[in-house]
C-alpha cells in the first residue's frame, strides 16, 4: 500500500496548515479531501487516505484542531487551504471531492453546503444528536452528496435518517441518503455495512468526478 507524507503547507500570508497526503501509483484521477474524526489524524484516517490513493486519487487530510473551540470558520478555512494545495498540484475543481467518517462525516456535510465540490460523501456522524442542524444543512448542499447512516436498530433512529433523506431531496444537486439498519454511527460493529459503505463511496466518486 502507498505511504503517506506530512508537510506544513504555507500560504502567502505566512500562515501554515499541516497536511498528510498519499499519492496514487498510477494515473491521477483527481483529488479527495478527507476530514478526520474528532480525535485527529488517527491510524484509521491514515488507512483511509492510503486506501483512496490506491484507487487513483491524490488524497489529503488537513490536521484541524479539534475540541470545543473548533468553529465552522476553522473548518472551512482549513478546507479552503487544502483545496489550494490540490490546485497547486494540478487537480481541477470538478475533479475534487470531500469525504468524512464519524464526526468527519458531519464536517463533510457542512463543507458540501458551503463549498463546491465534484462530489461529497458522509459516512456515519452525529445524525441523531445534530439532527435539526443536519436537516437544515442537507437541504442546501451545493455538491452531489451521499450520506450513509446507521439507525442503531431502533425506530427513532430509523425515523431520523428518513427525515434526513427527505431534507436532502430538496437540494438542487444529486443526493442519496442510505440507512443501515442496526449499524451504529461509526459502523464499527457491522463489517458488512462498513464494506458496503466503502464500495458506495468509491462508486459515488466514480460517477461524479469525471
Amino acid at each position: 500500500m502507498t505511504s503517506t507524507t506530512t508537510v506544513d503547507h504555507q500560504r502567502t500570508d505566512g500562515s501554515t496548515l499541516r497536511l498528510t497526503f498519499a499519492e496514487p501509483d498510477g494515473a491521477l484521477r483527481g483529488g479527495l479531501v478527507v476530514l478526520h474524526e474528532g480525535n485527529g489524524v488517527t491510524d484509521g484516517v491514515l488507512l483511509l487516505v492510503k486506501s483512496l490513493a490506491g484507487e487513483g486519487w491524490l488524497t489529503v487530510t488537513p490536521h484541524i484542531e479539534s475540541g470545543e473551540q473548533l468553529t465552522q470558520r476553522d473548518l472551512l478555512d482549513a478546507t479552503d487551504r487544502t483545496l489550494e494545495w490540490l490546485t497547486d498540484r494540478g487537480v481541477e475543481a470538478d475533479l475534487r471531492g470531500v469525504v468524512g467518517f464519524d464526526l468527519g462525516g458531519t464536517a463533510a456535510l457542512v463543507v458540501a453546503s458551503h463549498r463546491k465540490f465534484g462530489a461529497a460523501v458522509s459516512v456515519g456522524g452525529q445524525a441523531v444528536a445534530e439532527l435539526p442542524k443536519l436537516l437544515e444543512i442537507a437541504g442546501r448542499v451545493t455538491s452531489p452528496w451521499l450520506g450513509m447512516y446507521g439507525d442503531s436498530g431502533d425506530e427513532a433512529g430509523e425515523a431520523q435518517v428518513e427525515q434526513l433523506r427527505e431534507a436532502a431531496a430538496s437540494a438542487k444537486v444529486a443526493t442519496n441518503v442510505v440507512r443501515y439498519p442496526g449499524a451504529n454511527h461509526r459502523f464499527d460493529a457491522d463489517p458488512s455495512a462498513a464494506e458496503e459503505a466503502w464500495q458506495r463511496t468509491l462508486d459515488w466518486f466514480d460517477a461524479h468526478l469525471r
Side-chain angles (χ1 to χ4, degrees), residues 103-127:
L103 181 60
T106 300
L109 176 55
V110 171
V111 168
S113 69
H114 288 82
R115 298 292 184 267
K116 181 65 176 176
F117 286 86
V121 176
S122 298
V123 184
Q126 299 172 317

Side-chain angles (χ1 to χ4, degrees), residues 20-33:
T20 295
F21 67 93
E23 299 180 275
D25 292 330
L28 178 65
R29 302 178 61 192
L32 299 179
V33 177

Side-chain angles (χ1 to χ4, degrees), residues 168-191:
S170 67
K172 297 180 180 180
V173 294
T175 64
N176 186 22
V177 174
V178 181
R179 179 174 59 85
Y180 288 87
N184 61 22
H185 70 287
R186 293 180 59 88
F187 285 71
D188 52 9
D190 191 338

Side-chain angles (χ1 to χ4, degrees), residues 118-148:
V121 176
S122 298
V123 184
Q126 299 172 317
V128 176
E130 300 291 335
L131 184 65
K133 185 182 300 183
L134 294 185
L135 290 177
E136 178 183 348
I137 295 171
R140 62 169 190 258
V141 291
T142 58
S143 306
W145 176 66
L146 168 66
M148 292 173 283

Side-chain angles (χ1 to χ4, degrees), residues 71-81 110-111 114-115:
T71 65
Q72 179 173 288
R73 170 44 53 193
D74 294 329
L75 173 62
L76 294 176
D77 184 60
T79 302
D80 288 341
R81 296 187 187 197
V110 171
V111 168
H114 288 82
R115 298 292 184 267

